Amino acid sequence: MARPRKDVKFQHRSGSNGKARRPSNSMSEISENGSEPSSPTRNGAISKSDVPEPPPQSDYEKKKQTFVTRTIWTLVMIGGFFWALLAGHIYIIIIVTAVQIISFKEVIAIANVPSRARSLRFTKTLNWYFLGTFMYFLYGESVVYYFKHVLLVDKILLPLATHHRFISFMLYLIGFVFFVGSLQKGHYKFQFTQFAWTHMALFLIVGQAHFIINNIFEGMIWFFLPVSLVITNDIFAYLCGITFGRTPLIKISPKKTWEGFLGAWFFTILFGIGFTHYMAKDKYFICPVNDLGANFMTGLNCTPNPVFIPHTYTFPAPPPSWTHLPSQVSIAPIQFHVLVFATFASLIAPFGGFFASGLKRSFKIKDFGDSIPGHGGMTDRMDCQFIMGFFAFMYYSSFIATHQASVGGIIEAAITGLTPEEQMEVVKGLSKHLVNQDIISPKVLEYLGTQLHRR
């Protein structure tokens, strides 16, 4: 049997000129040499190289696609927000809770990447444990404060309410001890950096979100007004900036201009005055929460805070008669307070965004995440809202809130400060008063007297 010869060249089936074919390094080259352009190959399929590749998108097309995506998701978020606003306070609380959890996850993820590379155990677990503990403490504080009249009279919930802070502290200590036990030689500096980073995120995100929750309990207007002012300021800062912005505002955010900054302040004040005028007329927005099941249709009932009641103010110097201007004006005090809110939302709250921009630049990232298509991460949209909500609660507590005795406060003082016998005397005294007012039957007083005598 004859040995096969090496490097034997075969002629092409379609009939070539006798020349040997050039060895080809790719299937695309074989296809191009063996068939005419755009013609089927031997198996009847179109060669891969003959299929035209889609042209790359231009910058204009990319910007257009981003704009469309951003607009769609903006409308979705606005629609969902207004639905939750009218559906009831509990739905807004759920949204705020989800926002703070997602924001915490995004911020922690920035520093979590090296930990996976170093194969450190429990780093992520501890982050979520501290988040859960922190939320248990802060949410528990709010629930105990606003619903103590429910918790303190329940046999099961009473110990949890009266010892809430101690329980929260012990839960934190468990995480602290677990962290110390997880320290590994050679990684001390990195692990303590992670510990500090986690606590910074808890303070800046979860801590400030706690006060936003309290704003909701105090009345929907104290949540919705600050949020809408920040959104309005952001919109008009962009519009004024692209219209007549010339002077750069701050180096860390080069697109911001003084013209957009000050122009947005003016329009935010106008919006706040008009918006507050209509919200102050509805008790659903101005009443503190006394029923978590309430919604816009059922409404709430309360005695309005004095800031929502119009007062008559007389000008120090009456205007000339030829101006036909009144010497008095009737206006609700909330309109003066909204000037402060709008000013803070315009001049101070944007620095929360500048802080976030500096943080992103330090880690060389564009966005905190991609939680919201077209917008980036949740933190990118909420960076100004956290500090604004914190300010709203502090301002409300200092200058607007009315401190009156509440049912929950009286019950708490009686349970924690009186003996059972003294509590019975309080109940008997209140019963006498109610009998004298013909509100309850005298039989109730007789029953209480009998029970007190038996003890």
Side-chain angles (χ1 to χ4, degrees):
M1 183 174 181
R3 296 178 58 190
R5 291 180 297 171
K6 296 181 178 180
D7 299 325
V8 177
K9 306 294 190 296
F10 295 96
Q11 291 184 348
H12 196 270
R13 288 190 177 189
S14 58
S16 63
N17 54 6
K19 295 181 181 179
R21 292 187 66 218
R22 178 178 59 86
S24 176
N25 294 327
S26 66
M27 292 301 295
S28 61
E29 290 180 347
I30 296 175
S31 176
E32 288 173 359
N33 293 332
S35 60
E36 294 294 327
S38 301
S39 63
T41 55
R42 282 186 356 184
N43 58 6
I46 302 297
S47 64
K48 188 175 182 180
S49 62
D50 293 333
V51 179
E53 296 182 359
Q57 285 185 320
S58 63
D59 291 338
Y60 170 77
E61 292 174 334
K62 290 180 180 179
K63 291 181 179 179
K64 181 180 179 181
Q65 183 177 0
T66 302
F67 176 79
V68 172
T69 303
R70 188 185 183 99
T71 302
I72 292 175
W73 277 94
T74 298
L75 296 176
V76 170
M77 289 189 295
I78 291 175
F81 177 77
F82 275 97
W83 174 84
L85 182 71
L86 301 178
H89 300 74
I90 188 65
Y91 295 97
I92 293 293
I93 293 174
I94 292 173
I95 289 178
V96 174
T97 303
V99 166
Q100 66 175 330
I101 292 175
I102 295 173
S103 299
F104 177 82
K105 177 183 177 182
E106 291 175 347
V107 172
I108 290 300
I110 299 176
N112 250 355
V113 175
S115 68
R116 292 198 295 268
R118 300 187 184 198
S119 300
L120 294 176
R121 297 182 302 167
F122 308 126
T123 301
K124 182 177 291 188
T125 302
L126 279 173
N127 288 339
W128 289 106
Y129 177 82
F130 282 125
L131 173 64
T133 301
F134 213 61
M135 290 180 64
Y136 172 79
F137 169 66
L138 294 177
Y139 276 68
E141 286 287 300
S142 298
V143 171
V144 171
Y145 180 80
Y146 291 103
F147 299 98
K148 62 181 66 175
H149 60 285
V150 177
L151 301 178
L152 296 178
V153 297
D154 188 276
K155 187 176 182 179
I156 298 177
L157 298 178
L158 176 60
L160 295 177
T162 54
H163 305 300
H164 170 71
R165 294 179 179 178
F166 180 77
I167 295 172
S168 301
F169 181 65
M170 294 307 297
L171 290 174
Y172 177 82
L173 285 182
I174 292 173
F176 177 79
V177 172
F178 197 76
F179 165 76
V180 175
S182 66
L183 292 174
Q184 296 184 19
K185 185 177 181 180
H187 302 305
Y188 294 150
K189 184 176 181 180
F190 174 75
Q191 288 182 290
F192 277 103
T193 301
Q194 284 281 300
F195 185 80
W197 181 261
T198 301
H199 283 68
M200 183 201 74
L202 290 173
F203 171 74
L204 293 178
I205 296 175
V206 184
Q208 294 187 111
H210 160 69
F211 295 102
I212 297 177
I213 298 292
N214 287 352
N215 290 340
I216 298 172
F217 285 129
E218 293 291 349
M220 191 69 82
I221 190 173
W222 306 117
F223 165 78
F224 194 39
L225 179 62
V227 169
S228 60
L229 289 176
V230 169
I231 295 174
T232 301
N233 181 261
D234 192 35
I235 293 173
F236 280 101
Y238 173 76
L239 295 177
C240 294
I242 63 174
T243 302
F244 44 81
R246 296 291 183 273
T247 311
L249 174 64
I250 188 170
K251 291 183 179 180
I252 202 169
S253 188
K255 293 183 179 181
K256 304 293 184 181
T257 62
W258 275 104
E259 292 81 3
F261 192 64
L262 298 177
W265 181 21
F266 173 76
F267 286 106
T268 302
I269 289 177
L270 292 183
F271 170 83
I273 293 174
F275 190 63
T276 304
H277 175 72
Y278 288 101
M279 288 192 69
K281 296 180 178 180
D282 196 323
K283 287 189 176 182
Y284 174 73
F285 293 106
I286 66 176
C287 285
V289 178
N290 50 31
D291 180 11
L292 285 176
N295 55 50
F296 182 75
M297 300 302 295
T298 61
L300 291 170
N301 191 23
C302 68
T303 300
N305 189 299
V307 297
F308 298 112
I309 301 175
H311 292 188
T312 300
Y313 299 93
T314 303
F315 295 114
S321 58
W322 57 269
T323 60
H324 300 289
L325 295 175
S327 59
Q328 295 180 333
V329 62
S330 180
I331 188 173
I334 184 62
Q335 296 291 4
F336 299 113
H337 293 292
V338 80
L339 297 178
V340 180
F341 278 82
T343 299
F344 187 91
S346 302
L347 304 185
I348 306 299
F351 281 85
F354 301 153
F355 176 86
S357 297
L359 189 62
K360 289 186 287 186
R361 288 178 181 272
S362 66
F363 284 94
K364 297 180 174 59
I365 59 176
K366 181 181 178 182
D367 298 314
F368 282 100
D370 54 359
S371 305
I372 310 174
H375 291 265
M378 185 68 72
T379 313
D380 296 289
R381 299 277 66 84
M382 301 299 163
D383 45 14
C384 300
Q385 296 288 0
F386 289 123
I387 190 172
M388 183 67 201
F390 192 7
F391 167 80
F393 177 81
M394 292 301 175
Y395 185 88
Y396 169 82
S397 301
S398 301
F399 302 105
I400 299 176
T402 56
H403 302 285
Q404 299 177 349
S406 64
V407 175
I410 294 174
I411 293 176
E412 180 184 23
I415 291 177
T416 59
L418 300 177
T419 63
E421 289 75 15
E422 292 172 333
Q423 293 172 15
M424 285 295 297
E425 288 296 331
V426 171
V427 172
K428 190 174 180 180
L430 287 175
S431 300
K432 286 182 179 180
H433 172 72
L434 295 176
V435 168
N436 294 334
Q437 299 295 322
D438 293 329
I439 297 176
I440 63 174
S441 171
K443 293 182 179 181
V444 176
L445 186 59
E446 295 175 3
Y447 176 79
L448 289 174
T450 303
Q451 295 298 319
L452 183 62
H453 180 72
R454 289 179 180 178
R455 291 181 60 87

